DNA sequence: CAAGCCAACTAGGTTAACTATGTTGCACAG
DNA sequence: CTGTGCAACATAGTTAACCTAGTTGGCTTG
């Protein structure tokens, strides 16, 4: 599932989960699959899955409850600050990927 | 430096650095000490320092540049809701276009 | 002197092992 | 039936090792 695009695996997984949350296929209150389960689904190591979940936790999209699972937060309040940091993260990523693509293209002249 | 307060070490370090950034003792453009240096200063393992920096990166407070260091970002201004939705639409578009280009490139090996 | 290589530093990504701790459900003893 | 304990599962945190890769400065060689 995780592709070799130069985009690190833990961010690809975070992106995908974020997409599912934004898209509603993972609704507020829903639990994410367990980290072990996610590792299987994405064919990734447990470590990168933990990193991915950590990103979403930092972004405030998700709350982990020890012993239970990781749950999608209510998207209500955290409007601007979190959104902004997420957007900035996305912008940073796009810039990096663009730079990579551009350099690849220039090499092929 | 990292105390046994129940608050995990990587968050204590992230808190402290965030404080220094918000307080201006680390100004925009300034480099953070290297991860090795931070590990010494906080008497923490390299791993927790990396996690701490990762948090700040995710929050967008800081930008890492491979080979150089980690630099404090320029503090962004709050944006209006309309701007946000427009920016999000633009980001979505950019992401799709980039994904197309990337897959084209990867197919051509 | 100039070019280029190389060593030392930088961040970043991945994996694995171990620990701690919380939750849940089931089996077994009373 | 009650409840107690235990096994299985969950997140969370810490550490360490290994690899990639960009930057910089100095030294060596031509």
């Amino acid at each position: 599932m995780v592709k070799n695009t130069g985009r690190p695996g833990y961010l690809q997984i975070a992106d995908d989960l974020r997409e599912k949350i934004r898209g509603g296929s993972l609704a507020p209150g829903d639990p994410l699959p367990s980290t072990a389960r996610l590792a299987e689904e994405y064919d990734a190591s447990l470590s990168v899955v933990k990193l991915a979940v950590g990103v979403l936790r930092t972004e405030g999209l998700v709350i982990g409850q020890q012993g239970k699972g990781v749950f999608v937060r209510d998207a209500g309040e955290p409007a601007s600050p979190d959104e902004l940091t997420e957007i900035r993260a996305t912008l940073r990523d796009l810039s990096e990927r663009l730079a990579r693509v551009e350099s690849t293209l220039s090499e092929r002249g």
Side-chain angles (χ1 to χ4, degrees), chain A:
Chain A
M1 180 86 199
V2 172
K3 299 165 190 165
N4 184 15
T5 60
R7 178 104 167 126
Y10 74 99
L11 289 184
Q12 289 184 46
I13 296 176
D15 289 345
D16 194 67
L17 293 174
R18 199 185 299 110
E19 187 77 13
K20 285 184 171 133
I21 292 173
R22 292 262 179 249
S25 106
L26 279 173
D30 283 356
L32 267 56
S34 76
T35 52
R37 187 85 184 75
L38 288 173
E40 287 178 6
E41 286 182 6
Y42 290 103
D43 191 30
S45 75
L46 209 53
S47 300
V48 310
V49 169
K50 281 164 123 187
L51 288 178
V53 172
V55 168
L56 298 181
R57 258 194 302 154
T58 299
E59 289 174 353
L61 283 179
V62 123
I63 289 186
Q65 285 182 247
Q66 234 177 347
K68 283 191 173 178
V70 178
F71 299 86
V72 177
R73 256 177 56 92
D74 283 349
E77 349 94 44
S80 345
D82 287 354
E83 293 254 353
L84 273 182
T85 63
E86 181 196 335
I87 287 176
R88 277 198 282 265
T90 306
L91 274 179
R92 216 174 320 125
D93 169 58
L94 284 176
S95 299
E96 289 169 6
R97 285 162 64 193
L98 239 193
R100 245 191 310 275
V101 169
E102 285 169 346
S103 75
T104 300
L105 284 178
S106 73
E107 281 172 7
R108 304 183 180 188

